[in-house]
Amino acid sequence: MRTIETVTLEDARRVIAAGEQEATNQGQPMNIAVVDAGGVLVAHVRQDGAWIGSVDVAINKAFSARAFDVSTQDLAGNAQPGGQFFGIQDSNHGRVMIFAGGVPLMSGDAVVGAVGVSGGTGEQDQAVATAAAAAL
């Protein structure tokens, strides 16, 4: 296994392809975005029929997962009223997403980017993001 410091375009394409396959298996068109270690967009795909409004959501889920090095699903649990991160979705100029579908991309123990998925239910988005991340 190679160790990387950040995802490349080739890595992002592989991650997206795996996400597209899972979305197709589910029968739910998705937006799938990959950011690098700095949280900057490397690649995005909007499958035919995926919601236009989910483009920014997918990109921001990827950003959020990288910005905090945690899945957005886990971040959501701590962002509820009374939680330690309550209100975090208002930080970073509103870019922080606190619902399922954003997953850090790992190389060994290092976070080297993230994938964000939007277009289905939270469970669908999370399943696609998880499958996509496994392709790295």
Side-chain angles (χ1 to χ4, degrees), residues 29-130:
M30 299 281 189
N31 284 276
I32 305 166
V34 175
V35 298
D36 64 15
V40 177
L41 184 66
V42 175
H44 168 266
V45 68
R46 180 178 159 259
Q47 291 184 295
D48 293 341
W51 293 329
I52 296 167
S54 289
V55 171
D56 284 342
V57 175
I59 293 168
N60 287 335
K61 283 182 183 182
F63 167 80
S64 299
R66 176 56 189 110
F68 298 101
D69 294 342
V70 64
S71 76
T72 55
Q73 183 174 43
D74 291 342
L75 187 59
N78 288 309
Q80 302 307 310
Q84 65 177 339
F85 299 132
F86 179 65
I88 198 167
Q89 69 276 9
D90 296 326
S91 71
N92 293 275
H93 305 285
R95 288 191 68 190
V96 177
M97 298 285 112
I98 58 167
F99 35 89
V103 175
L105 295 174
M106 307 297 295
S107 178
D109 292 334
V111 179
V112 296
V115 60
V117 176
S118 185
T121 65
E123 292 82 14
Q124 289 172 318
D125 290 357
Q126 188 68 28
V128 171
T130 300

Side-chain angles (χ1 to χ4, degrees), residues 2-15:
R2 69 185 174 105
T3 301
I4 60 175
E5 293 182 20
T6 191
V7 294
T8 64
L9 179 57
E10 180 182 336
D11 295 328
R13 287 179 173 155
R14 187 171 59 256
V15 167

